Amino acid sequence: MNNTRLADIAAQAGVSEATVSRVLNGKAGVSPATRQAVLTALDLMGYERPQRLRQRSNGLIGLVIPELGNPIFPAFAQAMEKSLIQHGFTPILCTQEPGGAPEDEFTEMLLDRGVSGIVFVSGLHADTTARMDRYNRLTDRGLPIVLVDGYNEAIPAPFISPDDRLAARLAVQHLVDLGHERIGLALGQRRFVPVIRKIEGFRQAMAQLLGLADVDDLIQHSLFSVEGGQAAASALLDRGCTGIFCASDLMALGAIRAARERGLSVPGDVSVVGFDDSPLMAFTDPPLTTVRKPIVAMAAAAVETLLEEIGGTPAKHVELVYQPELVVRGSTSSGPLVNR
């Protein structure tokens, strides 16, 4: 490697050129952290690692996630891939595009390739109408699995979840604090566990904070997409909602579109709260107030739990629940009562 490239890598890694040279030549006397910084700089700048620095994989890990159209899923996959690679494992990413291979086909493919374990994100385990014996067959054969987003008591495996009830509570509390009393909930199909839990949190918060026992007309089901959010928000605006909590950021962007199509401003006339804090939500118009899903912590927990199983620790039927947090940006403001 020429001196110009050495200098570039050294600058990127924050070390000397001599240190870069020692790492690239596999010499001793470099700390693991410094070595990793140099390798990371090498990767970021698009240089190929020398053969001697390429790790032998400890095994293959399957990552089965929904389609990549929702930016929260690529972010989740990337966080898990990074953690797995740091532990010496090779991830195999399987994404479920509409009309593509279903989850069971991906599972069979991964088993054929001799994977050491599988992480399922928002899979059929989250669907209360789906059969859970597909997962029990995996645990019966001793394959380590971890399931993310959607708890089911019938599967003897570890689960990683955000606190969906708290997410709804945080959104409602924020809108109530701003003076909104007519608050709607826009979410996906009723059969999914995260949807069920957000409804429970929404009902509880509306009862405690606004004294509303019957909120059925303030809950609108649709699809987890921009178009789905637009349709759900349109129905909620028809019912006089001035604040809307959407169960995904994409739905929230659809809700903003629905408001603007009616000549309403966000947040002047309608406040919108999303869920996930997907990449780029700080740069939308207006920047989206959202409830942040703890992606990094959940991804790290999923990988650590799976690797413990692979290492011989018996799988526990347990749900690890991670707390979301409200991120206030520009899509929410004072409600009608405060404006009077």
Side-chain angles (χ1 to χ4, degrees), residues 1-11 16-18 20-21 47:
M1 187 170 286
N2 63 40
N3 289 336
T4 303
R5 288 182 178 178
L6 279 178
D8 290 343
I9 295 166
S16 68
E17 291 179 44
V20 173
S21 181
Y47 293 127

Side-chain angles (χ1 to χ4, degrees), residues 134-200:
R134 53 176 48 89
Y135 302 107
N136 294 333
R137 285 196 293 271
L138 298 177
T139 57
D140 287 346
R141 64 188 288 169
L143 183 75
I145 64 171
V146 172
L147 303 119
V148 179
D149 262 349
Y151 177 75
N152 192 297
E153 62 182 17
I155 308 170
F159 290 80
I160 311 291
S161 305
D163 191 333
D164 288 296
R165 297 181 184 93
L166 176 60
R169 170 79 186 207
L170 290 172
V172 172
Q173 181 76 65
H174 174 60
L175 292 169
V176 169
D177 288 346
L178 289 172
H180 295 273
E181 291 188 345
R182 193 74 178 164
I183 299 169
L185 174 63
L187 27 62
Q189 292 144 305
R190 193 184 301 269
R191 66 180 191 269
F192 296 109
V193 172
V195 169
I196 294 169
R197 289 179 169 183
K198 284 188 179 73
I199 291 173
E200 290 171 355

Side-chain angles (χ1 to χ4, degrees), residues 167-178 180 183-184 186 242-256 260 266-268 270-293 324-334:
R169 170 79 186 207
L170 290 172
V172 172
Q173 181 76 65
H174 174 60
L175 292 169
V176 169
D177 288 346
L178 289 172
H180 295 273
I183 299 169
T242 63
I244 300 175
F245 171 46
C246 299
S248 79
D249 290 339
L250 290 185
M251 293 190 81
L253 297 182
I256 292 172
R260 286 178 172 163
V266 177
V270 180
S271 287
V272 176
V273 181
F275 176 74
D276 280 336
D277 197 24
S278 315
L280 303 181
M281 288 305 116
F283 306 102
T284 58
D285 178 26
L288 187 67
T289 295
T290 188
V291 179
R292 176 179 293 157
K293 192 175 185 176
E325 62 176 309
L326 179 72
V327 181
V328 179
R329 297 194 181 105
S331 64
T332 51
S333 69
S334 300

Side-chain angles (χ1 to χ4, degrees), residues 57-298:
S57 176
N58 290 330
L60 305 175
I61 302 294
L63 304 179
V64 182
I65 69 169
E67 40 75 33
L68 299 178
N70 185 336
I72 201 65
F73 294 127
F76 209 112
Q78 189 171 32
M80 287 194 292
E81 286 180 330
K82 180 180 179 181
S83 183
L84 285 167
I85 290 169
Q86 287 174 345
H87 286 91
F89 286 83
T90 302
I92 300 178
L93 184 62
C94 301
T95 59
Q96 300 183 72
E97 295 294 336
E103 182 178 312
D104 291 339
E105 284 186 25
F106 278 133
T107 301
E108 288 302 318
M109 179 199 76
L110 292 170
L111 292 175
D112 288 344
R113 281 158 177 73
V115 293
S116 301
I118 304 176
V119 179
F120 294 92
V121 179
S122 297
L124 291 169
H125 63 275
D127 186 340
T128 57
T129 65
R131 293 176 57 182
M132 296 300 133
D133 56 353
R134 53 176 48 89
Y135 302 107
N136 294 333
R137 285 196 293 271
L138 298 177
T139 57
D140 287 346
R141 64 188 288 169
L143 183 75
I145 64 171
V146 172
L147 303 119
V148 179
D149 262 349
Y151 177 75
N152 192 297
E153 62 182 17
I155 308 170
F159 290 80
I160 311 291
S161 305
D163 191 333
D164 288 296
R165 297 181 184 93
L166 176 60
R169 170 79 186 207
L170 290 172
V172 172
Q173 181 76 65
H174 174 60
L175 292 169
V176 169
D177 288 346
L178 289 172
H180 295 273
E181 291 188 345
R182 193 74 178 164
I183 299 169
L185 174 63
L187 27 62
Q189 292 144 305
R190 193 184 301 269
R191 66 180 191 269
F192 296 109
V193 172
V195 169
I196 294 169
R197 289 179 169 183
K198 284 188 179 73
I199 291 173
E200 290 171 355
F202 179 77
R203 289 186 185 280
Q204 185 178 50
M206 294 291 280
Q208 291 179 347
L209 300 174
L210 293 173
L212 297 176
D214 182 6
V215 293
D216 286 352
D217 64 330
L218 299 177
I219 299 172
Q220 186 65 41
H221 294 276
S222 186
L223 299 175
F224 284 111
S225 64
V226 173
E227 294 77 16
Q230 184 174 356
S234 183
L236 292 169
L237 291 172
D238 285 343
R239 298 168 201 159
C241 291
T242 63
I244 300 175
F245 171 46
C246 299
S248 79
D249 290 339
L250 290 185
M251 293 190 81
L253 297 182
I256 292 172
R257 182 193 288 175
R260 286 178 172 163
E261 281 193 344
R262 295 171 178 238
L264 301 174
S265 71
V266 177
D269 299 308
V270 180
S271 287
V272 176
V273 181
F275 176 74
D276 280 336
D277 197 24
S278 315
L280 303 181
M281 288 305 116
F283 306 102
T284 58
D285 178 26
L288 187 67
T289 295
T290 188
V291 179
R292 176 179 293 157
K293 192 175 185 176
I295 288 297
V296 174
M298 289 174 62

